[in-house]
């Protein structure tokens, strides 16, 4: 079978099975099957597919018609310009989560001008940044590593930690860090939020191979997170694809959706230095509940996403 008819018949098949964006999905899965880009698809419409390619394309389409997200079939998702490995052990990183990364970067100039003692640059073993202040950041519930790796890429001097309760997710995050040459930049740890961060978060050796110093409480400048925040009570409003294929503990927090955030906020307060920022993703549904939980914090602001929905909660630990 030639490429063009194979693509057209795939679009028809996905359309008839009510798969959203059938052309985009058919193209994506064909590019994955043939290991080529879109230009190749449209530049070689008469290319003859081998029997093996036809079989593998058919298999990928069959999986997609069951509702399995294309990203789990191809094993890839782009986030912050990085091609990330995704498996069913991790949530597929969403574009709106990039607002969390953007927020940290926007706050950096303010952080650089902050008063008080600065962390010692020597902990990085990097002579070139010896005079630079080093932001210490922890990404809670890192999943594929999306937020932690984007920040590691953007902030070469930052000291970055990432935790997740799922060992399988951490394996994916570590693989992504290695893929993007950021393995020595992010310390990954299995933990229940930040509850074991001080005792259990034994730092891995630094880039130089030397063990890094332990982490005293109250020494983080930023706690960032995209925690599970969907309530089980709103489960029927969640796309079937998400419910059926994405890890349940990455999506649902408990009956109301606030349960994980409720635990995260006091733990973040303990982890942060005075004046440090807590930045986490939310949905419009829980915004008011989150505002209540942040009573006592300074500078509480909600940032909207491109749809005008409250998407990022920002709060500062009182100095
Ligand atoms: C919404 S996903 C976010 C994944 C990734 N940060 C992203 O933005 O794509 C939430 C993540 O939190 C993790 N998680 C859930 N409960 C947790 C807990 N109690 N402690 C640590 N991580 C948790 C899940 O395993 C999942 O990887």
């Amino acid at each position: 079978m030639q490429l063009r008819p194979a693509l057209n018949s795939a679009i028809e098949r996905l359309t008839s099975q009510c798969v959203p964006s059938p052309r985009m999905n058919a193209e994506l899965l064909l590019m994955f099957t043939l290991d080529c880009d879109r230009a190749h698809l449209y530049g070689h419409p008469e290319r003859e597919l081998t029997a093996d390619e036809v079989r593998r394309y058919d298999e990928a389409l069959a999986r997609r018609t069951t509702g399995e997200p294309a990203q789990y079939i191809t094993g890839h998702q782009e986030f912050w310009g990085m091609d990330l490995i995704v498996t069913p052990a991790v949530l597929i990183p969403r574009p709106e989560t990039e607002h969390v990364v953007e927020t940290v970067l926007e706050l950096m100039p303010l952080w650089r001008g902050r008063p008080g003692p600065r962390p010692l640059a020597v902990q990085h073993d990097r002579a070139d940044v010896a005079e630079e202040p080093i932001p210490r950041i922890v990404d809670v519930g890192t999943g594929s590593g999306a937020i932690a790796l984007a920040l590691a890429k953007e902030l070469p001097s930052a000291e970055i930690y990432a935790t997740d309760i799922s060992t399988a997710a951490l394996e994916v995050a570590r693989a992504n860090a290695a893929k993007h040459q950021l393995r020595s930049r992010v310390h990954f740890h299995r933990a229940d939020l930040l509850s074991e961060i001080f005792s259990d978060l034994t730092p891995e050796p630094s880039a130089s191979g030397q063990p890094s110093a332990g982490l005293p409480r109250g020494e983080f400048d930023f706690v960032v997170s995209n925690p599970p925040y969907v309530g089980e009570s709103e489960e029927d409003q969640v796309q079937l694809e998400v419910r059926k294929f994405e890890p349940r503990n990455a999506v649902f927090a408990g009956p109301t959706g606030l349960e994980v955030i409720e635990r995260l906020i006091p733990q973040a307060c303990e982890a942060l230095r005075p004046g440090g920022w807590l930045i986490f993703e939310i949905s419009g549904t829980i915004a008011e509940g989150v505002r209540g939980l942040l009573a006592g914090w300074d500078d509480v602001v909600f940032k909207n996403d491109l749809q005008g929905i409250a998407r990022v909660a920002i709060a500062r630990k009182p100095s």
Side-chain angles (χ1 to χ4, degrees):
M1 187 185 244
Q2 286 182 338
L3 191 155
R4 167 76 58 75
L7 181 62
N8 288 340
S9 107
I11 295 169
E12 271 174 40
R13 178 173 172 185
L14 296 181
T15 306
S16 71
Q17 298 290 317
C18 303
V19 173
S21 312
R23 173 174 290 277
M24 193 199 76
N25 275 285
E27 287 178 355
L28 194 71
L29 295 177
L30 189 52
M31 289 188 283
F32 164 68
T33 305
L34 303 182
D35 192 19
C36 70
D37 58 17
R38 189 167 273 104
H40 182 90
L41 289 191
Y42 286 94
H44 304 274
E46 281 149 30
R47 172 184 161 172
E48 206 55 56
L49 301 181
T50 66
D52 183 53
E53 287 168 343
V54 170
R55 181 188 55 76
R56 286 189 292 111
Y57 191 35
D58 180 61
E59 276 173 16
L61 291 165
R63 286 171 68 181
R64 190 68 191 88
T65 59
T66 68
E68 184 170 354
Q71 293 90 335
Y72 289 149
I73 302 171
T74 63
H76 296 269
Q77 172 64 24
E78 190 182 307
F79 184 85
W80 202 262
M82 294 180 292
D83 177 36
L84 296 184
I85 300 161
V86 290
T87 74
V90 298
L91 185 98
I92 298 163
R94 308 293 205 271
E96 54 268 30
T97 303
E98 294 189 341
H99 291 306
V100 173
V101 178
E102 275 163 18
T103 304
V104 177
L105 300 181
E106 283 164 11
L107 288 170
M108 262 310 142
L110 206 56
W111 177 82
R112 287 202 178 93
R114 82 194 201 292
R118 293 172 166 185
L120 294 175
V122 72
Q123 284 168 355
H124 256 276
D125 308 315
R126 287 185 50 177
D128 55 325
V129 293
E131 296 309 318
E132 283 294 306
I134 293 175
R136 193 175 277 149
I137 303 174
V138 59
D139 172 22
V140 184
T142 197
S144 61
I147 299 174
L149 296 174
L151 290 173
K153 182 177 152 189
E154 294 296 332
L155 300 169
S157 69
E159 188 173 306
I160 300 180
Y161 293 79
T163 72
D164 206 288
I165 202 159
S166 156
T167 307
L170 285 168
E171 271 173 33
V172 175
R174 286 193 182 96
N176 277 317
K179 179 177 156 104
H180 292 281
Q181 286 80 49
L182 295 168
R183 189 63 195 86
S184 63
R185 293 287 324 286
V186 184
H187 304 286
F188 292 102
H189 296 271
R190 184 172 179 277
D192 179 2
L193 303 180
L194 293 166
S195 58
E196 294 131 42
I197 198 166
F198 307 111
S199 52
D200 184 54
L201 194 67
T202 310
E204 295 171 329
S206 66
S208 68
Q210 298 302 309
S212 343
L215 287 168
R217 276 171 211 273
E219 283 295 322
F220 282 95
D221 300 288
F222 293 88
V223 172
V224 299
S225 185
N226 173 17
Y229 56 71
V230 180
E232 283 152 3
S233 55
E234 41 180 351
E235 186 161 351
D236 54 357
Q237 293 157 44
V238 176
Q239 275 182 310
L240 186 63
E241 288 191 5
V242 175
R243 277 187 273 153
K244 208 167 147 194
F245 291 97
E246 301 209 51
R248 194 170 172 86
N249 76 339
V251 177
F252 295 100
T256 68
L258 282 169
E259 289 77 2
V260 174
I261 291 172
E262 210 164 34
R263 292 176 55 233
L264 174 65
I265 290 175
Q267 292 184 22
C269 189
E270 225 185 309
L272 286 168
R273 66 173 68 244
W277 277 277
L278 168 61
I279 297 164
F280 58 101
E281 186 169 318
I282 58 166
S283 69
T285 326
I286 59 165
E288 280 320 300
V290 169
R291 192 183 292 284
L293 293 173
L294 287 170
W297 288 67
D298 286 346
D299 304 337
V300 176
V301 175
F302 291 165
K303 202 167 153 180
N304 289 353
D305 62 17
L306 300 175
Q307 276 76 49
I309 298 165
R311 187 56 66 189
V312 183
I314 306 158
R316 206 162 182 193
K317 177 172 169 173
S319 298

